[in-house]
Amino acid sequence: MSIICWNCHEFGIPWALQFRKEITLQKKPKYFFCEILCKKAAVEKIRRRLGFEGMVSVDTNGHSGGLALLWRNKKEVNLCSFRKNHIDAIVVSNEGLNYRLTGIYGEPDRSKRYETCSLIRSFESNNSNLWCLIGDMNNVLSQSDKRGGNPYPQSLLKGFQDVLNVSDQVDMHLSDYQFTWERGFGSNKHIEVRLDRALVSPSFFNMFKEAKLSKLEVSTSNHSPIWLEPEIRFTVQCKKMFHFENAWLMEPMCYNLVEENEMLLAEIDEKEVKAALFNMHHDKSPGPDGMTPIFYQKCQNIAKSDVTTVIRNFFEIGVLDDELKSTNIAVIPKKPNLERMTDIHPISLCNVVYKIISNVLSNRIKTIIDPLISESQSAFIPDRLITDNIMIAFEVMHYMKWKTKGKDYWMALKLDMSKSYDRVEWCYLEAVVSKLGRKFGNIIHERGLRQCDPLSSYLFLICMEGLSILLHDSEH
């Protein structure tokens, strides 16, 4: 009995409808309860577009009110009652269990909040064993349900608390961010309140102990939709056995891949270490050990065996001494007069041996990165110029500026990439690399790429590839 509940006044607006379609496609709820500013005819069109069979709606009263309950299987719901503030129904599931589902919209006028409490008490007198009451209650249970603004009146808190105590309802815990409504975002009058909630009977709570109430992201309303999923889902993960397909041999790139893999897994040799070493500036700022690249470059014939052994051991066992991994953090001012932390640019001063390892990795990745990264990303890739994207951006903006006719609409999206290196989460990077077909070992750190590390540019490209793929999917 999965249900999405949402106080969304703009339900019939085209871009709002598109957002509802995306939610229903992603979550596939059996029921959709919402407060809307639409007449029945408009809700009927929306029902068909969202793919629901059953519907009951309460028309708006001027510029307020309006409720709708949509459900997948037309024969599954028996309507009990509906008024301007509620829709009450009995659900007959395929498993033979009967549920009571009540969608409610609490009285927004504080002087009439007692009407919402009286309404819930009236439901309780006709309570079935399995019951879920869900919606925008316009009430809170404690001061912790509100952030910002004046404290909530104690009389209203007590009235709502008494209703739950008398009816013996269980307030479902919201699994993520607790506030579902906000006003004045970005100002000193920002207020957040948990107005939307799900109340269930003890028998319902005991039967569906794995039930989860979560908040979905929202873009077209000051209320966030909440999603209740009481079904217990069992998932069995089977490890698929690798099996080589003969058809792969017909692909010309197959042999290259066997070679774009032998090369990646080849043992580190002295020539590769030397190339990585001499690719570094001879007198860059030293790391914590105080050594600069020029020492290793001048004494390469003496130290090459020891350095190669350390690097080779790292590639074989994946462990590096903590002293080699440690870095000094230096801050570089971006402008003469510093006023805030964003005016400085932090860089990592790594030890030389660490930078040799990073250079070896980046040199190997450089040869295979091109086919893995979308054409829209032009930075750091050999034979691609970032200035190409600048010219494309100018051309796009020029076209949009002078386009004044036609029914097609266009949109340009500018992304703020400030401090982007510092915000890269390792779990996300690992997930993207895994999707691209590479395996990772254990990662201890959780966030941040070392700037001035030769490998960081390629890791950042891989992270951006996730965004590129999502944008391409949305474009299609």
Side-chain angles (χ1 to χ4, degrees), residues 3 23 48-49 73 106-107 124-125 127 158 188 190 198 213 259 305 313 322 346 369 373 382 397 409 427 457 470:
I3 178 172
I23 286 182
R48 292 196 299 267
R49 293 194 64 180
N73 189 341
E107 177 58 52
E124 194 274 333
S125 63
N127 187 14
K158 188 176 186 305
N188 55 3
H190 186 212
L213 181 68
E259 290 176 351
S305 178
N313 287 339
D322 289 339
I369 195 71
I373 303 301
M397 296 307 298
Y409 295 91
C427 57
S457 301
L470 291 175

Side-chain angles (χ1 to χ4, degrees), residues 1-60:
M1 195 190 76
S2 57
I3 178 172
I4 287 179
C5 174
W6 197 358
N7 181 341
C8 46
H9 286 193
E10 321 89 333
F11 199 84
I13 299 176
W15 58 82
L17 178 59
Q18 179 62 31
F19 193 69
R20 298 344 173 250
K21 287 180 65 177
E22 291 178 2
I23 286 182
T24 53
L25 286 173
Q26 180 185 10
K27 300 300 182 183
K28 297 180 174 59
K30 290 186 177 180
Y31 310 94
F32 201 134
F33 174 73
C34 50
E35 185 205 351
I36 52 174
L37 285 175
C38 294
K39 297 293 185 180
K40 184 175 181 179
V43 179
E44 174 63 25
K45 293 180 181 179
I46 295 167
R47 175 195 68 78
R48 292 196 299 267
R49 293 194 64 180
L50 295 183
F52 290 95
E53 292 184 359
M55 181 199 83
V56 60
S57 65
V58 181
D59 280 349
T60 59

Side-chain angles (χ1 to χ4, degrees), residues 83-150:
R83 297 286 187 274
K84 67 172 184 177
N85 288 95
H86 82 275
I87 297 177
D88 191 24
I90 298 295
V91 177
V92 181
S93 69
N94 295 330
E95 294 81 11
L97 293 174
N98 291 349
Y99 309 88
R100 186 179 184 186
L101 176 61
T102 305
I104 188 172
Y105 173 56
E107 177 58 52
D109 187 349
R110 282 192 174 183
S111 64
K112 298 181 180 180
R113 293 284 169 83
Y114 67 91
E115 294 181 3
T116 302
C117 297
S118 300
L119 179 63
I120 297 177
R121 287 195 179 97
S122 69
F123 292 141
E124 194 274 333
S125 63
N126 189 29
N127 187 14
S128 60
N129 289 329
L130 297 175
W131 184 30
C132 173
L133 182 84
I134 192 168
D136 175 10
M137 307 286 177
N138 267 321
N139 270 298
V140 300
L141 285 172
S142 66
Q143 297 293 351
S144 61
D145 284 343
K146 184 173 186 289
R147 176 187 291 173
N150 298 322

